[in-house]
Amino acid sequence: MAEDFFVVLHNMLKSRPEVSEIHCVKDAKVPLMRFKFDGILIDLPYACLHVLSVPENVDVLNPFFLRDLDETSWKSLSGVRANKCILQLLPDLEKFQSVLRCIKLWAKRRGVYGNLHGFLGGVHLAILVAHVCQNHPKGSLNTLVANFFKTYAYWPWPTPVMLQDPMLPAAGYPSETRSLMPIRLPCSPHEYCHSNITRSTFYKIRTEFLRGHNTTRDLMRPDFDWHFLFEPFPYSKKFARFVKVYLSASNQDELGDWVGWVKSRFRSLILKLEEVQGLCDPNPTEYIDVDVTEPHIVFYWGLQPGRTNLLDIVAVEKDFLKNIHNGFQGSPGRMELLVVQASQLSKSSQLDSGSGRRTKACWKNLDYNRPRIPVYSQHLPNYIIGYVDAKADSKYPSAGG
């Protein structure tokens, strides 16, 4: 893994014109390379099989290939195995895919998508949607979306969500006390999706499930509008104060590695803020400050009125810096925490897009000094999908965010 995967294969991919924003995540529970291939985000994990050669169409569900796997390789294959099992257990693949796209869009717009921030990741949503599709095999797309929110708005957590699998024993499920929202992986009766959910994010997810149910409970009413379900979460209206997480580095490559490492440690920061402040809302969206020239990323996390309005952010920052500097092997960037008022947010980082312009606030540009022209969606008025170089061909937007 250290030589062939993270060096040889990394260099091969980096030399390809289709590949951009490639970063190695070596010390995560699932080591992987993250990059964009023709603009599509790819997570490429590593697993070592104890065989002389790997066939082109390897069956990752075949026990022969899974024997004597180390823990890292087992975790790396869990997502692939889960995806394959889900596809085999569904009554209608096309309906599942359509509903999942819809729910992912909802989760991103409402700020509840992103495992590193303590919210729902791709595998979580896939299993939740598949569970609804299994229980309503004849449902239309509209009905399945409505049943998704109805199901999970009143789900008796921490009862696990699990798919019906005739190949697994039908006995009762083991207790899962490590997660507030346990979701069992298919293919194994004892494996659950890795989760970073905390008290704060658990409350936010449940609130959004209930909002989704209230929105879709009567699809036939005259004033029903699907757009309301996908309204971006109005952070500036919900919160008066924010924790500003500022991350910077000397160049774009180092920034990607640094941001990836810090994000992998975000759960400890969320827990610390909960400890000293109460609930917080770790908005997963990445922003940039157009007035800053150095490569950087900014996060704005909403703070609920807590025990005190005088949050000692210096002590929180000092504690978190110890965490992120422990074990990082690259060139560490800079990290700064600040408490800012909603009124202090610059227009370029405006978080509130509830009923106004639907603009995407965060786009990572490879060259901050070149003039940029925003490119707007053909389908959503005033919704920015990327930027083009003012001197380049406008047909090819650079939407690196």
Side-chain angles (χ1 to χ4, degrees):
M1 179 169 64
E3 177 65 25
D4 296 330
F5 185 72
F6 281 122
V7 177
V8 177
L9 182 58
H10 172 270
N11 292 337
M12 290 170 63
L13 290 171
K14 193 173 184 179
S15 67
R16 299 291 302 177
E18 308 96 329
V19 175
S20 62
E21 300 182 34
I22 183 168
H23 305 293
C24 296
V25 185
K26 300 180 181 180
D27 299 307
K29 293 181 180 179
V30 178
L32 54 83
M33 279 188 288
R34 178 166 292 159
F35 55 89
K36 286 191 174 181
F37 189 93
D38 275 343
I40 300 173
L41 183 62
I42 303 291
D43 280 352
L44 186 66
Y46 172 90
C48 179
L49 304 183
H50 291 276
V51 293
L52 293 178
S53 62
V54 179
E56 184 173 343
N57 296 317
V58 59
D59 182 6
V60 293
L61 299 181
N62 187 335
F64 173 78
F65 294 106
L66 303 178
R67 67 196 198 312
D68 300 325
L69 278 185
D70 59 78
E71 184 178 0
T72 298
S73 295
W74 182 266
K75 289 179 179 178
S76 295
L77 286 177
S78 292
V80 181
R81 295 174 68 237
N83 286 341
K84 192 164 186 176
C85 276
I86 290 172
L87 298 181
Q88 293 178 352
L89 297 173
L90 288 170
D92 190 319
L93 178 57
E94 289 188 3
K95 282 185 182 178
F96 164 76
Q97 292 173 328
S98 297
V99 175
L100 182 57
R101 290 190 188 103
C102 176
I103 296 303
K104 277 191 175 183
L105 176 61
W106 161 81
K108 292 177 180 179
R109 291 281 182 86
R110 300 304 296 176
V112 291
Y113 186 82
N115 188 42
L116 293 179
H117 285 78
F119 293 112
L120 300 167
V123 67
H124 303 95
L125 290 180
I127 296 174
L128 293 180
V129 171
H131 180 267
V132 172
C133 291
Q134 278 191 333
N135 288 325
H136 304 276
K138 302 297 184 181
S140 65
L141 294 180
N142 286 359
T143 301
L144 288 171
V145 172
N147 280 324
F148 174 88
F149 291 109
K150 181 180 179 180
T151 299
Y152 299 114
Y154 301 111
W155 189 267
W157 305 106
T159 301
V161 175
M162 57 185 68
L163 299 182
Q164 302 168 26
D165 187 348
M167 301 301 294
L168 292 180
Y173 52 84
S175 60
E176 171 63 27
T177 58
R178 295 171 297 171
S179 174
L180 294 168
M181 304 183 80
I183 301 172
R184 196 179 77 176
L185 286 168
C187 310
S188 173
H190 306 298
E191 278 191 275
Y192 290 80
C193 298
H194 174 70
S195 172
N196 288 316
I197 292 174
T198 70
R199 287 189 304 111
S200 295
T201 56
F202 179 62
Y203 172 81
K204 170 78 177 285
I205 294 169
R206 292 185 66 192
T207 301
E208 290 301 322
F209 279 152
L210 187 58
R211 175 188 179 272
H213 173 53
N214 289 333
T215 302
T216 59
R217 66 195 310 169
D218 185 4
L219 301 178
M220 301 303 293
R221 70 177 187 267
D223 62 339
F224 176 77
D225 186 352
W226 279 107
H227 288 91
F228 182 70
L229 178 67
F230 302 105
E231 277 293 320
F233 188 83
Y235 289 97
S236 299
K237 293 180 180 178
K238 292 289 185 180
F239 303 108
R241 297 182 306 142
F242 296 86
V243 168
K244 178 181 179 181
V245 185
Y246 181 88
L247 303 173
S248 63
S250 57
N251 60 63
Q252 199 69 30
D253 286 338
E254 290 184 1
L255 177 66
D257 293 338
W258 177 239
V259 171
W261 173 261
V262 176
K263 286 170 66 175
S264 71
R265 301 296 190 270
F266 266 173
R267 189 173 192 272
S268 67
L269 178 57
I270 298 170
L271 292 175
K272 184 65 176 179
L273 289 171
E274 289 180 350
E275 176 187 331
V276 300
Q277 182 68 18
L279 297 179
C280 75
D281 187 342
N283 178 6
T285 306
E286 299 178 355
Y287 299 87
I288 59 170
D289 188 338
V290 296
D291 297 322
V292 177
T293 58
E294 67 175 346
H296 71 283
I297 289 294
V298 183
F299 296 93
Y300 292 98
W301 293 1
L303 286 176
Q304 295 277 5
R307 302 182 183 93
T308 173
N309 283 332
L310 300 175
L311 174 59
D312 186 0
I313 199 65
V314 176
V316 174
E317 177 182 309
K318 184 178 180 181
D319 184 70
F320 187 53
L321 280 172
K322 290 181 181 178
N323 185 300
I324 60 178
H325 282 143
N326 183 25
F328 185 65
Q329 299 179 356
S331 300
R334 188 163 68 90
M335 195 278 295
E336 183 180 8
L337 298 182
L338 295 171
V339 175
V340 297
Q341 304 295 321
S343 58
Q344 295 176 294
L345 297 175
S346 64
K347 291 183 179 180
S348 62
S349 298
Q350 191 56 246
L351 312 183
D352 182 14
S353 46
S355 58
R357 288 171 53 109
R358 293 181 182 175
T359 59
K360 186 145 187 170
C362 115
W363 294 99
K364 291 178 281 185
N365 296 278
L366 297 181
D367 189 340
Y368 290 85
N369 298 316
R370 301 190 68 154
R372 297 162 292 161
I373 300 174
V375 177
Y376 293 91
S377 169
Q378 298 177 5
H379 310 289
L380 293 175
N382 298 320
Y383 191 85
I384 297 177
I385 61 172
Y387 292 92
V388 295
D389 191 320
K391 300 179 181 178
D393 189 338
S394 60
K395 291 192 296 182
Y396 301 101
S398 172

